[in-house]
Structures are given as structure tokens and as C-alpha cells.
Amino acid sequence: MNKTIIVSNRLPLQIDISNDKLRITPSVGGLATGMKSVHEEGKTLWIGWSGLKEEDLDDTLTRKVDQAVAQEHCAAVSLTGKDLDNFYYGFSNRTLWPLFHYFMEYTYFENIQWESYKRVNRKFADMVLKHTDDGDTIWIHDYQLLLLPELIKRERPNASIGFFLHIPFPSYEVFRTMPWREELLRGMLGADLLGFHTYDYERHFLSSVRRILRLDTHFNEISYEGRTIRVDSFPMGIDYRKFHNAAIAHGRQNEAQKSDLQKRLDTHLLSTPGAKMILSIDRLDYTKGIPNRLRAFEYFLEKYPQFREKVRFVLLAVPSRSNVPQYQLLKKETDELVGRINGRFSSVSWTPIWYFYRSMPFENLIDLYTSCDVALITPIRDGMNLVAKEYIATRVDQSGILVLSEMAGAAKEMNEALLINPNNFEQIADTLKRALEMPVEEQAERNAFLQQRLERYSVDKWAGEFLKALRATRKLHHVMVSRKLNAEIREQVLLDYYKSKNRLLLLDYDGTLVNFTNKPKEARPDEALYDLLDRLHQTPGTDLVIISGRDKETLGEWFGDRGYTLIAEHGAWKKEGTEDWTPLETLRTDWMQNLKPVLDTFVDRTPGTFLEEKNFSLAWHFRKADPELGQMRATELKTVLTSLISNYELSVLEGNKVIEIKSSNVNKGRASSRMLTEKNYDFIFAMGDDWTDEYMFEQLPDEAVTVKVGIKKSGARYFVHDTEKVRELLEHFLQAGSEDAGIGNTLFFSSKN
Ligand code: ADP
Ligand code: G6P
């Protein structure tokens, strides 16, 4: 049976060694706690780091660790002290973590750490490959493993790979500062499906892909290396039932069953009439806004002194990444702030802040969640924030108020919470007051909505949706692959070619025979192409036609003396052999002087674009423009043109990063149909890459072999991936057509691929 492999830097269990004995505790953090219930559900293997250093393990201990993790359906990747310094504390947590959370001033770019990041991602890849069987699904998690999807895809092209980022993906303006931005994006694009918590992170990622890699995206799909990659948002949920049921059981506890912590909480609540508690729980991380929260609480006590002696703030901070300097500074700052505020406001019977700096067992988390009237969650940036969701899930009687930062991914789906800007102390203080005074009916109303949503979109549902989307993405790929001009189809095409006497080959130029360049003039034919085309042209019974949107001057300069048939400007002109150019249509040009000034304004307003003036058409090229601005202006231009061209017989063609205006009665379809009236062809072949070629595919008879270059929507019967494959196919024609080659050994010699 096929399995799902979960891969993340940290395993859901954390191992410590004392006196040669292993101590296993659950890992903290949204990824581990969330994915744990997915792992417990079905047949999964989880690959990750155990939390130990390779140097601390001898053979016996290593065996013990492997056994312990295997029991939990996990496999451990071992990291050395150096890996930890450079990969974990280094590139992962001093470069990616701060940059992706917009803490640019904390971001540190260091080549040694980058090298280590690559090495450790390779280590993970080896481990995953070792455990992967055909048909398995691999689900990779988070920023520590951005290169892993590509490393696996390269070696297992058929593996189904999903990737989920648990932290924000920053805006392009921030991401572009990363020295290794291309490698990271390409690493991620090894996945078939990329998931983010929110639509904002998704669109930031797509924007970076467009601008940095200059890849085309179509809604949420990216065509890359012959694959279609899907990008989508899946807001992660929690194991709602687990928290809710634990809270119900907690409510039924008698005095003897209560934990010490619960007893202390009760004492406080009972000692003062009207006493209330505010709770916050997070890893001690600068993204969580802990100092801001403390200062805002201090301001709240100043502004609303009526709450002194009554309200207690329970601050639970879990130690995290304490080798990173910023975390050490944060610890110091937090300790000092707590000390100062407690020193300033405490009385004999009241301390405003209860501060815990440690991890706590699940039961104590439930004690805290169920006992506190307000949860104050104020991250400066947070990918999602599961604590906010867990708090709401435990509010069995629907009391309790969540005060939540707008900067947490969770805020996007928790509108009924009281949302605040974590930098606005005035707002936080006022919101705290409002929360503490909120009537229970209003609390219940808000929480009812929140709970319904959390229960419906639980972490199981989230994982299920992600895996369903991954399967759908793979299917989409298969649908496209089924139309691929694969070895079998190619053999049939070559057989038809071989048997035919009069062949017509209609070949588009840019994007088909050569790749696009930033300057159209630079896309000259290379020697190998001339050689290939010359040989095709010289094959008896073969009419070779270059059919292009290029002007006749350029085509004439490049191919004028080769003897092929040339069709220029999408079918406005034709040149056969050594003859002169003849117009194929009677064309007007009077419209050009009226439209040119309009197009000029688009050139002026859109850096990187230019206008190409052909004999019968005007083409606005935006390949070099910022991709997003270019696309936006293209849409604008099309709208403007719709009203302007109504007086003329003109049409607007959208090519590959070009908008061209030309007479309606000129297109490659009409031009190629004309060719068919001149001779009785028994093999018709057309190949092209953009919308202008679609006219040709549409107009040619059904038996014609039509081929699109690239994976895009098309009326062509088949597709090939790129110009390299185009040339390969033409080379096959030559071999099939060569007189002395026997059909058997010519056609069937390379049926792979
Ligand atoms: P992050 O992933 O950045 O740490 P989240 O709020 O998304 O933040 O996830 C934190 C997870 O860690 C939650 O599931 C929470 O229950 C758990 N957790 C937080 N603090 C503690 C603690 N002191 N002891 C045990 N688990 C904790
Ligand atoms: C966040 C990250 C996780 C990480 C967790 C704990 O939730 O998204 O990838 O595991 O924090 O951090 P740590 O560095 O201890 O693994």
C-alpha cells in the first residue's frame, strides 16, 4: 500500500539524553503539534531531526534513538554540531526566519551557512529517497527544507510532492534582498503543489516567481520545466475535538484530580471578587511581540487603574532557539520588563504578571486555556498562530474573549475575535478593557461562530484538503501528459511522414525554432538551425514554410537566400524561393498614424516596453517590463484598443508578451489555408507556441498534425515541451525521410522519452 511521508526539520518528538537514558517529550510549535494528529491518523512515516547532536551519540545510543523513533513511525536524520550551528541556528533561524517575518534588521546573510543549508537539505533528500517507494506521496514542511522538493523531484520525477510553508511568505520587495533567492524558489518549485496559510502569502510567492524567475503564472498555476505546479492557500486548523474534549473532561475534575497549577489559578480567582485572568502562550520569539504586549499591559494598568489588584496576566513563554543572539536578547528584555512592571504595580496580595519560562504538559495548557477570561495574542508577524485557535476550542461554555493581532495568519479567519494592531498600545489597552467588560451573551455569540468554523475546518480536514489538491494536481499533469507528443505518437507521425509524397511543414519562428530573447533582433538563427532547416528543405517532396509574425525585412535578412517559403507579418506577405515578396492581402495602413500615439503613451508609462512598427501592423512588446505591471498595462491597452479600432477592420492579437494590432483579414490561419489550395498535400504539419499560431491550428484540416510548444491551452493536437524538443522532432523527420534509412530501424530506434 502506498504511504505518505511527512518531512519536517523537527520530529513531533523531542529526545534528550541523561545518564545514557532517553527522555522523550512532545515537540512544541505549530507544525509539530498540528501535523501530529495527521501522523497519528493513517499510514505515514515522519522523517526529521530528533533534537540530538550526532556527536553526543555513540553506536548504542544511535540504535536506541532509531528504535525509539521507529516505534513512533518516524525516522531520524542526524545533524552534527556544525549542521546545527550553520543550518539550524544559522541559515534557517538567522536568515530565513527573520527575513520571512519582515525582521530585515535581524537577517544575516552568510555564505558558510548557505552552504550548510544546501548540505543538510541534501541529507534530508537522501533519507527521504531511502524510504520512498513508487507511488508514495511526499509532503515536505516549512522553511528549513525549501530546497528539498527539487532535490527529490530531480531523482524521482514521478513522485508526488507537496510542500507547505508554515510561516509567512514575504512580499517580493523583501524576498528579493535574499542573495540565493533564485535557488530557493527553484527548490520550492520541485513540488507539484505548494500550500500557504493565507492568500496573501500565496500571492507574494507567485509575485516573486513571476518577477525573479520570470515565469508565467496563470491564476494559481505555474508552468515550469514541463510540469504544471499549483499554488494554493490552506489555513491550518487544530485538532478541535482533542482540545474541546480535554476541556470538557477538565470541567468535570474534582478537587483531588486538579493539578497544582489549577489549584493556584483557582486560589487567585476565588480570593478577589471580580478577579480576571489574561493569558498569553507562545515560544519566546521576537515575532510574537512579547515586549510590546508587556508594555501595552503596563499602559493598560496606567490608563485603567480600576483593574489593578483584579486582573492578572499569565505569560507563558516556551524556550526556543536560545543559541541565536536575538533570542537571548529577547529573553533578557522580557525578564527585565516583567520585573519592572511587577516591581511598579505589585501589592502585598497581588502580582500583575505571572511569568512562566518553560514548556508545559498538555494538561497544564488546558488548565490555563480554560481558566483565563481573555487570551491576548499579539504577534508582530505570525504565519498562522494555533494558540489562538486552541484557546477558543477549549471554551466549552462559550465564554472568553480572544484579542488577536491582525498580523497573525489566524486573523484572516477569526473575524469575530477582537482584532488589534500589535504596535498600537492605545488600541490594545482599550480593547483589553472592552474584553474584560464584554457581556457574556456577546462573548457566546462571537465564540459560537469561531467554534463552528474551527470544528469544521479541523487539522484533519486541512490535511485531507491538501492531499486531495495534491492528487488533483498530479491528475492535471497526467491529462496534459496524455496529449504530449510521446514516443508512441511520434512513431505514428513519423510513419505518416515517411509514407507521404507531398509534405507541408509550417513552422513558427520565435518560441518554436528559437527561444525568446529580451531584444527580438537578437534571436537570430544559429548555425545548427540553418543546417537543420536546409536539410529539411532539401528533402524531396517537402515544402518548408517559416510562418512568423516578424516583418519581411527581418525574415528576408535571415532566410531570404535559403530558398524556403517565408510568410511574414502573420500572413501579410509571402516569399517563395528566390522570388520577391508579394502581399497576400490588400491592406490599409491609414489607421497606423492614429493608433501609434496611443501606443507610444503605453511605452512611455511602462518601463522596459517598446513599439515595433511593421509594414502592416504595430506591436507593443512587454517582455522586459515588470511582469505584473506589464500584464496590467496589457489588459488596459486591450480595453483602450477595443473602442479605437471599431472604425477600422482591425484585430488585436495577444502573442507571447506582445500585443499586436493588424488588419483583421491577416492571420496565420488564412495564410496557411491558402497554401493548401496551391498543392495537394498528403502530410500537413504545423508547429507554434502562441496565440497567433492558434489561427493556424484552427484552420488546418483535421488530419493535420498540429503541435503546440509548451504546456498551454491550445487547439493543437499535441504538445512538446520546448524548442529543444522541436529540433529533436525535426531531426527525427530527417532520419525518417532519408532514402537509405530503413523504416524499421529509423523509426523505432529511439522510442524512449
Ligand atoms: P509557533 O508555531 O510559532 O510556535 P503556534 O501558536 O502556531 O506558534 O503553535 C504553538 C504550538 O505549541 C501550539 O500548538 C501550542 O499548544 C504549543 N505550545 C505552546 N506553548 C507551549 C508550552 N509551554 N508547552 C507545551 N506546548 C506549547
Ligand atoms: C514554528 C516553525 C516550525 C518550528 C517551530 C518550533 O512553528 O514554523 O517549523 O518547528 O516553530 O521551532 P524549532 O526551531 O524549535 O523547531
Side-chain angles (χ1 to χ4, degrees):
M1 199 177 120
N2 296 336
K3 62 181 178 302
T4 299
I5 301 185
I6 300 172
V7 198
S8 68
N9 176 51
R10 197 180 274 290
L11 282 176
L13 46 98
Q14 173 81 13
I15 306 184
D16 299 299
I17 298 176
S18 66
N19 300 330
D20 278 358
K21 284 233 160 57
L22 305 188
R23 195 176 69 99
I24 300 179
T25 48
S27 299
V28 183
L31 192 174
T33 54
M35 282 305 293
K36 208 163 127 188
S37 46
V38 178
H39 181 52
E40 279 163 3
E41 282 278 303
K43 195 179 175 224
T44 52
L45 169 74
W46 192 325
I47 295 179
W49 168 54
S50 64
L52 293 167
K53 205 193 306 176
E54 199 172 298
E55 291 85 337
D56 293 343
L57 298 173
D58 55 22
D59 286 352
T60 324
L61 278 172
T62 306
R63 246 192 325 276
K64 277 191 190 167
V65 169
D66 286 347
Q67 269 166 9
V69 296
Q71 245 171 23
E72 304 287 327
H73 304 283
C74 295
V77 176
S78 90
L79 298 184
T80 63
K82 253 198 178 146
D83 291 339
L84 289 183
D85 286 347
N86 291 320
F87 156 78
Y88 174 67
Y89 292 113
F91 199 77
S92 297
N93 288 315
R94 289 189 76 180
T95 308
L96 292 172
W97 179 270
L99 189 73
F100 279 36
H101 285 88
Y102 296 79
F103 281 79
M104 290 182 71
E105 69 280 22
Y106 290 178
T107 307
Y108 184 78
F109 299 120
E110 176 67 69
N111 206 35
I112 297 178
Q113 301 186 346
W114 165 241
E115 289 301 325
S116 167
Y117 186 79
K118 287 195 283 184
R119 250 192 330 272
V120 174
N121 270 255
R122 180 72 257 170
K123 251 190 200 181
F124 272 83
D126 292 340
M127 191 65 157
V128 173
L129 290 167
K130 195 170 118 190
H131 285 91
T132 307
D133 299 308
D134 271 353
D136 286 351
T137 297
I138 301 162
W139 190 2
I140 301 166
H141 294 262
D142 233 358
Y143 63 102
Q144 302 91 342
L145 301 175
L146 296 179
L147 302 177
L148 189 55
E150 187 191 22
L151 293 175
I152 297 175
K153 187 55 102 190
R154 233 189 264 151
E155 292 182 45
R156 294 281 170 93
N158 292 324
S160 191
I161 305 178
F163 178 86
F164 193 86
L165 187 71
H166 290 257
I167 64 173
F169 194 93
S171 100
Y172 160 75
E173 282 303 334
V174 169
F175 184 71
R176 71 197 287 221
T177 61
M178 162 67 71
W180 305 282
R181 58 198 179 185
E182 290 189 21
E183 289 93 324
L184 291 172
L185 290 177
R186 290 193 194 281
M188 293 173 79
L189 290 182
D192 301 297
L193 172 69
L194 289 141
F196 299 88
H197 281 306
T198 72
Y199 173 66
D200 282 337
Y201 309 156
E202 172 191 338
R203 76 186 167 80
H204 288 156
F205 172 75
L206 285 169
S207 167
S208 280
V209 165
R210 275 193 297 269
R211 291 166 163 199
I212 295 170
L213 299 181
R214 302 199 76 87
L215 292 178
D216 281 339
T217 61
H218 187 67
F219 298 106
N220 61 343
E221 288 175 7
I222 305 168
S223 299
Y224 178 62
E225 296 190 332
R227 294 183 296 121
T228 301
I229 297 159
R230 200 169 265 177
V231 183
D232 216 333
S233 56
F234 304 85
M236 189 177 188
I238 55 164
D239 187 342
Y240 182 85
R241 280 282 128 212
K242 178 175 153 189
F243 284 90
H244 198 72
N245 293 343
I248 293 174
H250 180 273
R252 297 194 184 123
Q253 281 175 346
N254 59 34
E255 216 39 47
Q257 290 167 322
K258 284 185 179 173
S259 68
D260 289 346
L261 175 67
Q262 186 63 55
K263 286 179 190 152
R264 274 185 73 194
L265 295 168
D266 286 350
T267 311
H268 166 70
L269 288 169
L270 295 173
S271 63
T272 324
K276 300 249 173 175
M277 279 197 292
I278 301 172
L279 171 70
S280 80
I281 299 186
D282 357 51
R283 282 180 304 103
L284 192 80
D285 194 299
Y286 50 81
T287 59
K288 303 286 182 183
I290 296 169
N292 273 19
R293 189 182 307 159
L294 286 166
R295 288 194 187 95
F297 180 64
E298 180 179 28
Y299 181 63
F300 162 78
L301 292 177
E302 252 170 43
K303 188 169 175 186
Y304 300 109
Q306 65 269 35
F307 288 102
R308 294 184 198 173
E309 307 269 344
K310 285 208 162 58
V311 170
R312 183 159 273 163
F313 182 16
V314 182
L315 178 78
L316 171 58
V318 193
S320 184
R321 307 171 194 166
S322 39
N323 279 20
V324 177
Q326 270 90 24
Y327 288 74
Q328 293 160 357
L329 288 175
L330 175 68
K331 168 78 175 54
K332 191 160 170 275
E333 189 182 1
T334 307
D335 290 352
E336 283 169 8
L337 272 170
V338 171
R340 183 164 65 77
I341 299 168
N342 277 345
R344 181 171 166 203
F345 293 100
S346 288
S347 66
V348 183
S349 55
W350 176 70
T351 324
I353 303 169
W354 272 358
Y355 172 37
F356 300 91
Y357 176 61
R358 61 174 133 104
S359 189
M360 277 196 188
F362 181 71
E363 297 67 38
N364 286 153
L365 286 186
I366 300 294
D367 291 338
L368 290 171
Y369 283 144
T370 50
S371 304
C372 293
D373 306 273
V374 176
L376 180 61
I377 317 270
T378 61
I380 308 287
R381 283 284 161 184
D382 204 338
M384 170 52 73
N385 199 292
L386 297 184
V387 167
K389 295 186 170 182
E390 291 169 6
Y391 174 71
I392 293 295
T394 60
R395 305 306 299 182
V396 177
D397 64 358
Q398 299 191 325
S399 68
I401 307 102
L402 171 65
V403 179
L404 178 63
S405 161
E406 292 162 4
M407 311 301 168
K412 297 266 180 243
E413 356 144 30
M414 301 186 87
N415 258 315
E416 293 79 7
L418 298 181
L419 300 183
I420 50 98
N421 174 345
N423 303 306
N424 186 341
F425 293 175
E426 202 70 51
Q427 189 196 26
I428 298 178
D430 294 349
T431 308
L432 270 181
K433 177 171 184 288
R434 186 176 162 204
L436 291 164
E437 291 172 346
M438 186 182 282
V440 281
E441 297 76 27
E442 188 182 343
Q443 298 178 22
E445 204 180 314
R446 287 168 181 271
N447 289 336
F449 281 115
L450 289 168
Q451 290 187 342
Q452 256 175 32
R453 222 172 293 135
L454 288 178
E455 186 168 16
R456 208 175 44 239
Y457 203 79
S458 65
V459 71
D460 292 344
K461 179 97 176 146
W462 167 82
E465 294 282 311
F466 182 90
L467 292 171
K468 198 165 89 191
L470 177 57
R471 280 192 292 277
T473 311
R474 294 291 297 167
K475 252 202 210 129
L476 176 92
H477 194 55
H478 285 305
V479 172
M480 314 216 66
V481 169
S482 68
R483 287 188 51 242
K484 179 179 168 187
L485 203 145
N486 59 21
E488 204 181 322
I489 299 171
R490 190 179 66 206
E491 276 170 20
Q492 188 54 51
V493 171
L494 292 180
L495 197 61
D496 293 345
Y497 176 91
Y498 176 79
K499 287 200 274 186
S500 58
K501 298 272 174 294
N502 285 312
R503 304 158 186 142
L504 174 64
L505 306 184
L506 294 154
L507 307 179
D508 166 52
Y509 182 73
D510 295 279
T512 301
L513 294 173
V514 297
N515 284 322
F516 284 102
T517 52
N518 282 336
K519 289 191 190 140
K521 289 276 171 215
E522 285 171 1
R524 301 183 72 86
D526 49 274
E527 278 314 313
L529 180 64
Y530 277 133
D531 176 55
L532 178 67
L533 296 177
D534 283 349
R535 283 185 290 135
L536 277 170
H537 173 58
Q538 284 150 16
T539 308
T542 306
D543 288 346
L544 173 71
V545 183
I546 308 277
I547 179 163
S548 163
R550 292 266 183 177
D551 60 30
K552 69 182 196 325
E553 286 69 24
T554 311
L555 281 193
E557 184 195 329
W558 291 347
F559 298 109
D561 58 355
R562 312 302 275 202
Y564 327 147
T565 299
L566 306 177
I567 294 179
E569 297 188 30
H570 305 287
W573 299 94
K574 182 173 165 196
K575 175 176 167 21
E576 284 196 73
T578 50
E579 288 171 19
D580 269 347
W581 289 98
T582 51
L584 283 177
E585 312 280 352
T586 11
L587 299 171
R588 285 172 59 180
T589 52
D590 52 341
W591 56 271
M592 285 176 138
Q593 68 194 45
N594 294 338
L595 289 197
K596 188 173 169 295
V598 177
L599 288 160
D600 283 338
T601 64
F602 277 79
V603 174
D604 295 341
R605 289 192 303 135
T606 323
T609 65
F610 66 93
L611 188 63
E612 187 185 1
E613 295 178 51
K614 303 187 192 176
N615 296 297
F616 294 109
S617 68
L618 292 172
W620 178 70
H621 292 263
F622 59 98
R623 176 166 305 280
K624 269 187 80 184
D626 174 279
E628 283 174 9
L629 179 65
Q631 202 51 58
M632 203 173 81
R633 288 281 151 77
T635 310
E636 195 185 329
L637 177 60
K638 279 186 287 177
T639 316
V640 170
L641 288 172
T642 320
S643 58
L644 290 179
I645 62 171
S646 54
N647 295 337
Y648 310 98
E649 291 243 294
L650 293 176
S651 53
V652 178
L653 281 189
E654 202 178 347
N656 195 326
K657 302 277 187 263
V658 55
I659 297 226
E660 185 154 0
I661 307 129
K662 53 170 210 43
S663 285
S664 304
N665 55 355
V666 176
N667 65 52
K668 287 185 180 178
R670 276 171 72 105
S672 45
S673 297
R674 274 169 194 269
M675 299 278 318
L676 299 184
T677 60
E678 289 168 12
K679 225 191 229 175
N680 209 0
Y681 290 107
D682 54 358
F683 180 84
I684 303 161
F685 177 87
M687 187 143 67
D689 73 300
D690 73 18
W691 274 104
T692 63
D693 302 303
E694 292 298 319
Y695 289 94
M696 179 163 73
F697 300 148
E698 204 178 281
Q699 300 257 330
L700 289 173
D702 287 350
E703 65 273 16
V705 178
T706 49
V707 181
K708 180 87 167 178
V709 185
I711 309 178
K712 289 168 216 154
K713 267 215 176 107
S714 169
R717 282 166 68 189
Y718 308 114
F719 79 86
V720 293
H721 284 311
D722 49 29
T723 57
E724 210 177 299
K725 289 275 179 264
V726 167
R727 292 191 187 197
E728 242 175 70
L729 181 64
L730 294 177
E731 198 59 60
H732 279 301
F733 279 162
L734 282 165
Q735 287 166 10
S738 82
E739 287 185 15
D740 40 305
I743 180 131
N745 54 23
T746 316
L747 298 189
F748 303 104
F749 69 106
S750 62
S751 50
K752 280 202 202 106
N753 183 28

